[in-house]
Amino acid sequence: MSRTAVYTALILRNRPSGESNSEVTLLTAEEGIVKATVFGGAKSKLRSHSAPYNSGKIWIYRDPSKDYRKINDFDVQSWRAGLRELYERTMAAGGIADTILSTHGGGGDWRLAQELALFTLDTLEDADEELCLRLLVHFLWRWTGFLGIQPHLETCAACGETADSSPLYFNVKDGATVCSRCTAGDSPQINSSFLQLNPGCRRWLSAARYTEPSQIYRYSMDNKSFGEAKALVTAVLSEALGKRLASWDW
C-alpha cells in the first residue's frame, strides 16, 4: 500500500518548525484539514511553493510508525501573489483562513468548503481596499450557510410577520430574528443581545446568499447597513465557536 497520497489542496498556514523546516496546514478536498512538514531552508523550492493561499496538487508522504507527514512535491496551479500586495487583501485572506481552521474545515463537504474559499480568494486577489472587507463578510455569511447556522432574516420568528420596510432584531442568545413587538418586553435599542437589521442590510445579505464573490461588487450597501451585516455574521460565528476571531476586525 502506497504511503504517498495526492491531494487537491489550498495552503492555509505556513509556520516555522525547528531551525529550517516549516509546518504547513492545508485544506484538502479529499481529507479536510491536513498538516504536513516541509523540510529544507529558505532556498528550498517546496518552501516557496507552500506559501499561504497557493493551491494545486500536492504529494504527501505519511509515515504511520512515526505519525508524521511530509510534503514531497507540490504542483502549484494558482499562486495568488496579489494577496500579498495590499494590506487589506492580506488581512481578509487571513480572516478566511482563520475561520476555516477554527471550524475544522467545515467538518463535512470539504470539496465545497474549498470551492467557497478559492472563489473568494481569486476575487480578493484584485480587489480594492473597500471591497476586501465586503468580500470577507460575504465569505463569512456564506460560511454560516455551509455550517448550517445561517439565521432566517425575512420574517419574525415569533409571529411570522414580514417586515419589508421596518427593522428586525437578531437575538444573539436565542439565534432568532424577531420584530420590535416580539422582543419579550426588552428594548432592542439598549439590550446588547439584540442586533438591529435594517432593510438595506437584510436585502444585501439575502442577495449575498446566492451571489458568487466575483459578482458581489454589483450590490451596493451604505456603511450603516454594512456595519449591521458584519456585526451579524461575526456574532453568529462567535456564538458557534465560543470565541471571536481577532482576524475579523481590522
Side-chain angles (χ1 to χ4, degrees), residues 72-84:
N72 282 343
D73 200 5
F74 190 10
D75 177 17
V76 180
Q77 296 169 356
S78 184
W79 297 85
R80 299 188 179 86
L83 296 177
R84 293 175 277 276

Side-chain angles (χ1 to χ4, degrees), residues 76 91 113 164 176:
V76 180
M91 295 302 292
D164 293 332

Side-chain angles (χ1 to χ4, degrees), residues 98-116:
D98 286 350
T99 302
I100 295 171
L101 289 170
S102 296
T103 53
H104 309 288
D109 188 342
W110 297 308
R111 189 170 297 278
L112 177 57
Q114 193 181 85
E115 287 179 358
L116 289 173

